[in-house]
Amino acid sequence: MNTPAVPAAPQRPLILPSHGVAKVKNVLSGDTVVLLGKATNPGARPPEVVFTFEKVSAPRIASKGNNNIDEPGAFPAREWLRSRCVGKSVAFETRKQGATAGDRVYGLLFMTDEAGNKSNLALECIRNGFAIPKIYPNGQDSEEDTNPDDPVKMYENELLAVMEEAKEAKLGMHSDLPLVRSIKNAGEGFQTLHLVEKSKKLTSKGTVKCVIEYCFDGSRYRCHVTDPELQDLQYGNFTLLLGGVSAPRFGNPRQEPPTESEPYADEARQFVELRLLQRELEVSLHGTDKSGVCAVGTIHHPRGNIAVELLKNGLAKISEWSVRMMDMNDVPALRMAENSAKRTNLNVWKEYAPPQLAGASEIYGTVIEVLTGDTLSILPNGEA
């Protein structure tokens, strides 16, 4: 007799303290970020919470729900906030959370610059024209009843004052022609091969400037083209396969039968999220996969080669089919990194044992094929 499956208990929303410090994982819009906390133990995933500025409303970013078209000024608003705080620590102050706030926390975020000046990001985004105050008048209060020293009222007045500054200066969404993106997706709005060809012909460096919007796993990402040199392909989305490597894949619990994730899939994704997610980086595109939908490329990060780092940490293996598309001068570093992880049985190589050679230690024969920059196929002498 089959025992009926017990549905998983719904996950309780994370409750933040009234004040604290967290790192910004990514920015969803001009008024909402995802905060990343500290893991409770070394093997646990760090907690995350969606955090929205209190009494602030930014234009809605493009999505399937609005036909992939921004509300005016939505993308510059998100980009301003993204460039300011992604990957950095912020101080938070909570105002509303729990049952009354739904799936997010409302409050204020503060950043301190090198000179020690503290700025309220909610105020600054309105001051720059990237959002407006979200204040509802209370019909029960008269001017006589209003306490000018009330912290809430003081905050609301500050928001209204800086909005008037932005309006007068015609900043951001208050400008005469605020930016409105219409997003194209590879395979629907354009062909990936067309993007690869254009990146080599039109761009001054032969690379494409992109924001890494999402990490499917350690070596597959959704990228958003921000490079104006790409002309009509600017603001296009495509899937990038990191050239030369393949990270563990995630399973699909909805598939029939369900498939399990490969070991270290979550660790590999966390590794790249901390280093790549929502960073604007240059990408060299080498070609496409067999389907023609996904691009294959190399990400140029100012602090190093992410493919090498994945291999060095035992969170990926070399992909022989995609490594052949790369510049052969870049391949030795990948081989060395993978060999280093193999020798120490690190992560995906935990059970690895080097092959034991049998027979002659020297072979005399004819090279019949060069497979890669360091791999040959040899026909021993005397064999047909």
PDB file of all heavy atoms in Angstrom, residues 76-93:
ATOM      1  N   PRO A  76      16.782  52.609 -16.573  1.00  0.00           N
ATOM      2  CA  PRO A  76      17.797  53.468 -15.938  1.00  0.00           C
ATOM      3  C   PRO A  76      17.684  53.478 -14.419  1.00  0.00           C
ATOM      4  O   PRO A  76      18.699  53.573 -13.719  1.00  0.00           O
ATOM      5  CB  PRO A  76      17.498  54.858 -16.524  1.00  0.00           C
ATOM      6  CG  PRO A  76      16.835  54.582 -17.827  1.00  0.00           C
ATOM      7  CD  PRO A  76      16.031  53.334 -17.605  1.00  0.00           C
ATOM      8  N   ALA A  77      16.451  53.372 -13.896  1.00  0.00           N
ATOM      9  CA  ALA A  77      16.265  53.342 -12.443  1.00  0.00           C
ATOM     10  C   ALA A  77      16.913  52.096 -11.854  1.00  0.00           C
ATOM     11  O   ALA A  77      17.629  52.154 -10.846  1.00  0.00           O
ATOM     12  CB  ALA A  77      14.775  53.383 -12.102  1.00  0.00           C
ATOM     13  N   ARG A  78      16.665  50.945 -12.488  1.00  0.00           N
ATOM     14  CA  ARG A  78      17.263  49.713 -11.981  1.00  0.00           C
ATOM     15  C   ARG A  78      18.776  49.742 -12.113  1.00  0.00           C
ATOM     16  O   ARG A  78      19.516  49.312 -11.229  1.00  0.00           O
ATOM     17  CB  ARG A  78      16.707  48.507 -12.713  1.00  0.00           C
ATOM     18  CG  ARG A  78      17.016  47.214 -11.962  1.00  0.00           C
ATOM     19  CD  ARG A  78      17.214  46.026 -12.837  1.00  0.00           C
ATOM     20  NE  ARG A  78      18.419  46.062 -13.640  1.00  0.00           N
ATOM     21  CZ  ARG A  78      18.909  45.004 -14.262  1.00  0.00           C
ATOM     22  NH1 ARG A  78      18.302  43.835 -14.142  1.00  0.00           N
ATOM     23  NH2 ARG A  78      19.988  45.096 -15.010  1.00  0.00           N
ATOM     24  N   GLU A  79      19.258  50.253 -13.261  1.00  0.00           N
ATOM     25  CA  GLU A  79      20.697  50.298 -13.490  1.00  0.00           C
ATOM     26  C   GLU A  79      21.409  51.219 -12.507  1.00  0.00           C
ATOM     27  O   GLU A  79      22.518  50.937 -12.066  1.00  0.00           O
ATOM     28  CB  GLU A  79      20.987  50.730 -14.933  1.00  0.00           C
ATOM     29  CG  GLU A  79      20.693  49.644 -15.947  1.00  0.00           C
ATOM     30  CD  GLU A  79      21.563  48.423 -15.722  1.00  0.00           C
ATOM     31  OE1 GLU A  79      22.708  48.398 -16.210  1.00  0.00           O
ATOM     32  OE2 GLU A  79      21.112  47.486 -15.027  1.00  0.00           O
ATOM     33  N   TRP A  80      20.769  52.331 -12.148  1.00  0.00           N
ATOM     34  CA  TRP A  80      21.374  53.228 -11.168  1.00  0.00           C
ATOM     35  C   TRP A  80      21.549  52.509  -9.834  1.00  0.00           C
ATOM     36  O   TRP A  80      22.629  52.561  -9.231  1.00  0.00           O
ATOM     37  CB  TRP A  80      20.486  54.459 -10.984  1.00  0.00           C
ATOM     38  CG  TRP A  80      20.994  55.392  -9.923  1.00  0.00           C
ATOM     39  CD1 TRP A  80      21.941  56.372 -10.076  1.00  0.00           C
ATOM     40  CD2 TRP A  80      20.601  55.422  -8.545  1.00  0.00           C
ATOM     41  NE1 TRP A  80      22.163  57.005  -8.869  1.00  0.00           N
ATOM     42  CE2 TRP A  80      21.357  56.444  -7.912  1.00  0.00           C
ATOM     43  CE3 TRP A  80      19.691  54.694  -7.780  1.00  0.00           C
ATOM     44  CZ2 TRP A  80      21.222  56.745  -6.558  1.00  0.00           C
ATOM     45  CZ3 TRP A  80      19.557  54.990  -6.433  1.00  0.00           C
ATOM     46  CH2 TRP A  80      20.310  56.013  -5.832  1.00  0.00           C
ATOM     47  N   LEU A  81      20.511  51.823  -9.401  1.00  0.00           N
ATOM     48  CA  LEU A  81      20.580  51.127  -8.127  1.00  0.00           C
ATOM     49  C   LEU A  81      21.523  49.926  -8.210  1.00  0.00           C
ATOM     50  O   LEU A  81      22.301  49.666  -7.283  1.00  0.00           O
ATOM     51  CB  LEU A  81      19.175  50.684  -7.708  1.00  0.00           C
ATOM     52  CG  LEU A  81      19.008  50.158  -6.285  1.00  0.00           C
ATOM     53  CD1 LEU A  81      19.469  51.186  -5.259  1.00  0.00           C
ATOM     54  CD2 LEU A  81      17.554  49.764  -6.026  1.00  0.00           C
ATOM     55  N   ARG A  82      21.485  49.204  -9.339  1.00  0.00           N
ATOM     56  CA  ARG A  82      22.371  48.045  -9.515  1.00  0.00           C
ATOM     57  C   ARG A  82      23.842  48.458  -9.448  1.00  0.00           C
ATOM     58  O   ARG A  82      24.652  47.843  -8.757  1.00  0.00           O
ATOM     59  CB  ARG A  82      22.085  47.368 -10.855  1.00  0.00           C
ATOM     60  CG  ARG A  82      22.967  46.147 -11.137  1.00  0.00           C
ATOM     61  CD  ARG A  82      22.880  45.691 -12.578  1.00  0.00           C
ATOM     62  NE  ARG A  82      23.418  46.687 -13.496  1.00  0.00           N
ATOM     63  CZ  ARG A  82      24.711  46.894 -13.722  1.00  0.00           C
ATOM     64  NH1 ARG A  82      25.627  46.192 -13.066  1.00  0.00           N
ATOM     65  NH2 ARG A  82      25.101  47.808 -14.579  1.00  0.00           N
ATOM     66  N   SER A  83      24.192  49.507 -10.181  1.00  0.00           N
ATOM     67  CA  SER A  83      25.584  49.938 -10.217  1.00  0.00           C
ATOM     68  C   SER A  83      26.052  50.475  -8.866  1.00  0.00           C
ATOM     69  O   SER A  83      27.240  50.447  -8.553  1.00  0.00           O
ATOM     70  CB  SER A  83      25.783  51.007 -11.298  1.00  0.00           C
ATOM     71  OG  SER A  83      25.010  52.160 -11.014  1.00  0.00           O
ATOM     72  N   ARG A  84      25.116  50.958  -8.051  1.00  0.00           N
ATOM     73  CA  ARG A  84      25.476  51.498  -6.752  1.00  0.00           C
ATOM     74  C   ARG A  84      25.736  50.413  -5.706  1.00  0.00           C
ATOM     75  O   ARG A  84      26.636  50.556  -4.880  1.00  0.00           O
ATOM     76  CB  ARG A  84      24.346  52.405  -6.222  1.00  0.00           C
ATOM     77  CG  ARG A  84      24.209  53.746  -6.907  1.00  0.00           C
ATOM     78  CD  ARG A  84      25.327  54.712  -6.532  1.00  0.00           C
ATOM     79  NE  ARG A  84      25.395  55.003  -5.108  1.00  0.00           N
ATOM     80  CZ  ARG A  84      24.732  55.973  -4.504  1.00  0.00           C
ATOM     81  NH1 ARG A  84      23.915  56.751  -5.215  1.00  0.00           N
ATOM     82  NH2 ARG A  84      24.881  56.191  -3.216  1.00  0.00           N
ATOM     83  N   CYS A  85      24.931  49.345  -5.720  1.00  0.00           N
ATOM     84  CA  CYS A  85      24.966  48.494  -4.522  1.00  0.00           C
ATOM     85  C   CYS A  85      25.110  46.992  -4.735  1.00  0.00           C
ATOM     86  O   CYS A  85      25.302  46.273  -3.740  1.00  0.00           O
ATOM     87  CB  CYS A  85      23.722  48.771  -3.675  1.00  0.00           C
ATOM     88  SG  CYS A  85      22.163  48.341  -4.466  1.00  0.00           S
ATOM     89  N   VAL A  86      25.049  46.462  -5.949  1.00  0.00           N
ATOM     90  CA  VAL A  86      25.167  45.009  -6.113  1.00  0.00           C
ATOM     91  C   VAL A  86      26.535  44.521  -5.639  1.00  0.00           C
ATOM     92  O   VAL A  86      27.572  45.083  -5.979  1.00  0.00           O
ATOM     93  CB  VAL A  86      24.932  44.595  -7.581  1.00  0.00           C
ATOM     94  CG1 VAL A  86      25.478  43.203  -7.856  1.00  0.00           C
ATOM     95  CG2 VAL A  86      23.456  44.614  -7.900  1.00  0.00           C
ATOM     96  N   GLY A  87      26.513  43.489  -4.808  1.00  0.00           N
ATOM     97  CA  GLY A  87      27.733  42.909  -4.272  1.00  0.00           C
ATOM     98  C   GLY A  87      28.320  43.667  -3.100  1.00  0.00           C
ATOM     99  O   GLY A  87      29.363  43.283  -2.580  1.00  0.00           O
ATOM    100  N   LYS A  88      27.641  44.746  -2.668  1.00  0.00           N
ATOM    101  CA  LYS A  88      28.170  45.569  -1.574  1.00  0.00           C
ATOM    102  C   LYS A  88      27.313  45.425  -0.325  1.00  0.00           C
ATOM    103  O   LYS A  88      26.158  45.017  -0.389  1.00  0.00           O
ATOM    104  CB  LYS A  88      28.222  47.032  -2.005  1.00  0.00           C
ATOM    105  CG  LYS A  88      29.144  47.270  -3.200  1.00  0.00           C
ATOM    106  CD  LYS A  88      29.116  48.719  -3.636  1.00  0.00           C
ATOM    107  CE  LYS A  88      30.000  48.938  -4.864  1.00  0.00           C
ATOM    108  NZ  LYS A  88      29.925  50.338  -5.344  1.00  0.00           N
ATOM    109  N   SER A  89      27.886  45.793   0.790  1.00  0.00           N
ATOM    110  CA  SER A  89      27.163  45.737   2.059  1.00  0.00           C
ATOM    111  C   SER A  89      26.361  47.021   2.257  1.00  0.00           C
ATOM    112  O   SER A  89      26.831  48.115   1.929  1.00  0.00           O
ATOM    113  CB  SER A  89      28.136  45.552   3.221  1.00  0.00           C
ATOM    114  OG  SER A  89      28.733  44.273   3.175  1.00  0.00           O
ATOM    115  N   VAL A  90      25.151  46.865   2.783  1.00  0.00           N
ATOM    116  CA  VAL A  90      24.289  48.002   3.083  1.00  0.00           C
ATOM    117  C   VAL A  90      23.748  47.844   4.501  1.00  0.00           C
ATOM    118  O   VAL A  90      23.629  46.736   5.013  1.00  0.00           O
ATOM    119  CB  VAL A  90      23.111  48.113   2.088  1.00  0.00           C
ATOM    120  CG1 VAL A  90      23.606  48.444   0.698  1.00  0.00           C
ATOM    121  CG2 VAL A  90      22.286  46.820   2.077  1.00  0.00           C
ATOM    122  N   ALA A  91      23.428  48.970   5.105  1.00  0.00           N
ATOM    123  CA  ALA A  91      22.740  48.940   6.400  1.00  0.00           C
ATOM    124  C   ALA A  91      21.246  49.038   6.131  1.00  0.00           C
ATOM    125  O   ALA A  91      20.819  49.827   5.283  1.00  0.00           O
ATOM    126  CB  ALA A  91      23.205  50.110   7.262  1.00  0.00           C
ATOM    127  N   PHE A  92      20.456  48.213   6.808  1.00  0.00           N
ATOM    128  CA  PHE A  92      19.007  48.248   6.585  1.00  0.00           C
ATOM    129  C   PHE A  92      18.280  48.645   7.858  1.00  0.00           C
ATOM    130  O   PHE A  92      18.769  48.452   8.977  1.00  0.00           O
ATOM    131  CB  PHE A  92      18.487  46.906   6.057  1.00  0.00           C
ATOM    132  CG  PHE A  92      18.662  45.746   6.992  1.00  0.00           C
ATOM    133  CD1 PHE A  92      17.786  45.528   8.062  1.00  0.00           C
ATOM    134  CD2 PHE A  92      19.692  44.838   6.796  1.00  0.00           C
ATOM    135  CE1 PHE A  92      17.936  44.452   8.919  1.00  0.00           C
ATOM    136  CE2 PHE A  92      19.869  43.757   7.650  1.00  0.00           C
ATOM    137  CZ  PHE A  92      18.986  43.568   8.718  1.00  0.00           C
ATOM    138  N   GLU A  93      17.100  49.200   7.647  1.00  0.00           N
ATOM    139  CA  GLU A  93      16.199  49.561   8.739  1.00  0.00           C
ATOM    140  C   GLU A  93      14.806  49.108   8.328  1.00  0.00           C
ATOM    141  O   GLU A  93      14.266  49.577   7.329  1.00  0.00           O
ATOM    142  CB  GLU A  93      16.223  51.071   8.965  1.00  0.00           C
ATOM    143  CG  GLU A  93      15.306  51.561  10.069  1.00  0.00           C
ATOM    144  CD  GLU A  93      15.355  53.077  10.210  1.00  0.00           C
ATOM    145  OE1 GLU A  93      16.459  53.645  10.119  1.00  0.00           O
ATOM    146  OE2 GLU A  93      14.274  53.690  10.384  1.00  0.00           O
TER     147      GLU A  93
END
